[in-house]
Amino acid sequence: MSTIRIEDIAHVRYAAPDLAAMRAFLEDFGMDCFEEGGRLYGRGADGRPFVHVTEPGEARFLAVGFRAETVADLEKLAASEGVPVEDLNEPGGGKIVRLTDPDGYRVEVVTGQAKQEGLALSADQLVNTASAKPRFRQTVRLEARPAHVKRIGHAVLKVRDFRTSERWYKDRFGFITSDEVEAAADVPLGAFMRCDRGDKPADHHTLFLAQLPGELGILHAAFEVANLDDLMLGHQHLKAKKREAAWGVGRHIMGSQIFDYWKDPFGNELEHWTDGDLFTAADPPQKQPMSALLAVQWGAPHPMFAGKLAPPPGLVSFFMALRLRVLGLFRAKPKGTPA
């Protein structure tokens, strides 16, 4: 049984050498931005005090934040980890517990933040389909503008040892696996994990841990927007502003989200998404091949497979599985055993 069960993701935290450049991007991305205490904050429309934080410094990822339900939960977590419960001296106030995960990532667990009145989102349009036509004698006229970020939805972290990190996060925060991703049969490379909210609906994933090659870091943070029209208007706006596109638009397989990825001026990847899957604690975990991670149900292919010399997906999975097996063999050797 886990120490506590978190409610949701709260924020992501970065450092950047130019807060003005980050602010311009985040506003193009659809956040409401403000500065306080030398930091730049981005908030969505859900009334939470912030979902994105940038501190001055060399460009890098600093921390991921999760939201606990009560101060009592924070006190229980703090006692278990041997760390204090501190005042959160940032917009919205509240309390915070600071932890470090097996890969050195800072994990900030917060509660008691003051909410503001939510911001207005663009209204859902009536949609005419072949089977139902509710929009009658009404036109669709959309105004060019950025998307409307409502909330932060999930973060994706690259890890050294998936099983070690999975156990760390599940033991402390009660995450449930929605989909475990395999490079080959019984060779896991990661998992999409959701919050355990009992019989209340939870996003398909709040955290994705991925044991992939390359330097550690955050792969992306994802933010829910109002609807499909909002996402597409956001895509058009970012393109007009000559922002760097990363991947999209398309519909994922695991999670089913319609997605659109962009890079901020410092190389961090941020996702707009809408129409994702929801599950309760009663829904069992599934296993999916690596091909389902990189493929789409429709839309833009993953950049790895977009060029004329793109590798076959099966070949990518083969070498990924081989790498994970070799790493597993080295980890299995007793201390002092020659490699």
Side-chain angles (χ1 to χ4, degrees):
M1 188 172 181
S2 63
T3 305
I4 65 170
R5 295 190 301 180
I6 61 163
E7 285 187 319
D8 207 346
I9 189 170
H11 60 265
V12 282
R13 189 181 299 271
Y14 300 86
D18 188 338
L19 297 190
M22 182 68 91
R23 178 171 187 156
F25 171 81
L26 293 177
E27 289 176 344
D28 284 342
F29 192 76
M31 292 187 198
D32 179 38
C33 295
F34 63 99
E35 295 183 41
E36 186 174 309
R39 300 185 183 98
L40 171 68
Y41 294 92
R43 60 188 168 202
D46 65 350
R48 298 285 169 187
F50 56 87
V51 295
H52 187 290
V53 190
T54 312
E55 302 180 2
E58 181 182 351
R60 62 192 179 102
F61 168 66
L62 294 178
V64 59
F66 299 111
R67 193 171 72 243
E69 185 176 0
T70 65
V71 174
D73 282 338
L74 276 195
E75 290 172 344
K76 183 178 179 183
L77 178 64
S80 175
E81 298 294 315
V83 298
V85 176
E86 304 174 74
D87 290 333
L88 179 54
N89 296 315
E90 297 193 68
K95 300 288 185 178
I96 184 170
V97 165
R98 294 179 170 93
L99 304 177
T100 303
D101 85 351
D103 291 296
Y105 296 127
R106 281 168 42 190
V107 179
E108 303 175 343
V109 188
V110 301
T111 196
Q113 293 171 294
K115 287 187 68 175
Q116 300 177 348
E117 185 177 350
L119 303 174
L121 290 174
S122 56
D124 293 338
Q125 298 286 334
L126 294 175
V127 177
N128 287 340
T129 68
S131 59
K133 302 190 183 297
R135 184 169 57 79
F136 176 62
R137 303 181 78 180
Q138 297 178 47
T139 60
V140 175
R141 299 292 183 266
L142 304 175
E143 180 183 354
R145 51 168 173 69
H148 293 80
V149 167
K150 180 181 180 182
R151 54 183 280 265
I152 185 169
H154 63 262
V156 178
L157 300 179
K158 191 182 291 187
V159 298
R160 290 189 183 90
D161 183 338
F162 163 60
R163 287 298 186 208
T164 297
S165 295
E166 175 194 37
R167 180 50 50 204
W168 191 89
Y169 281 93
K170 285 186 172 182
D171 283 351
R172 285 154 182 80
F173 308 130
F175 282 112
I176 301 171
T177 295
S178 294
D179 283 297
E180 183 168 292
V181 184
E182 296 183 319
D186 299 319
V187 184
L189 67 84
F192 291 92
M193 304 190 303
R194 68 184 184 274
C195 297
D196 181 355
R197 297 173 57 108
D199 59 1
K200 296 179 181 178
D203 290 329
H204 171 269
H205 58 283
T206 298
L207 181 66
F208 178 37
L209 301 175
Q211 187 176 334
L212 298 171
E215 294 182 4
L216 293 178
I218 188 169
L219 291 174
H220 72 263
F223 301 86
E224 186 177 15
V225 297
N227 49 46
L228 177 57
D229 276 329
D230 199 49
L231 183 143
M232 295 305 299
L233 287 171
H235 179 95
Q236 185 170 293
H237 178 81
L238 288 161
K239 186 175 180 180
K241 290 289 187 174
K242 301 189 184 305
R243 299 298 183 180
E244 184 179 357
W247 182 20
V249 173
R251 186 184 281 276
H252 283 308
I253 295 175
M254 289 175 283
S256 305
Q257 299 95 334
I258 298 173
F259 65 84
D260 192 26
Y261 294 82
W262 294 81
K263 290 189 177 181
D264 73 18
F266 309 99
N268 304 300
E269 202 163 291
L270 274 63
E271 176 191 6
H272 282 154
W273 64 270
T274 189
D275 192 25
D277 294 336
L278 296 170
F279 295 109
T280 71
D283 293 297
Q286 305 293 321
K287 289 189 177 183
Q288 297 282 351
M290 186 178 177
S291 58
L293 176 64
L294 300 175
V296 295
Q297 299 193 66
W298 55 257
H302 190 277
M304 185 186 300
F305 304 117
K308 291 183 179 180
L309 300 178
L315 186 63
V316 174
S317 297
F318 172 80
F319 280 108
M320 184 63 68
L322 179 62
R323 173 183 176 272
L324 292 169
R325 287 190 176 106
V326 170
L327 289 173
L329 286 174
F330 276 91
R331 289 195 181 96
K333 285 182 177 293
K335 290 184 178 179
T337 302

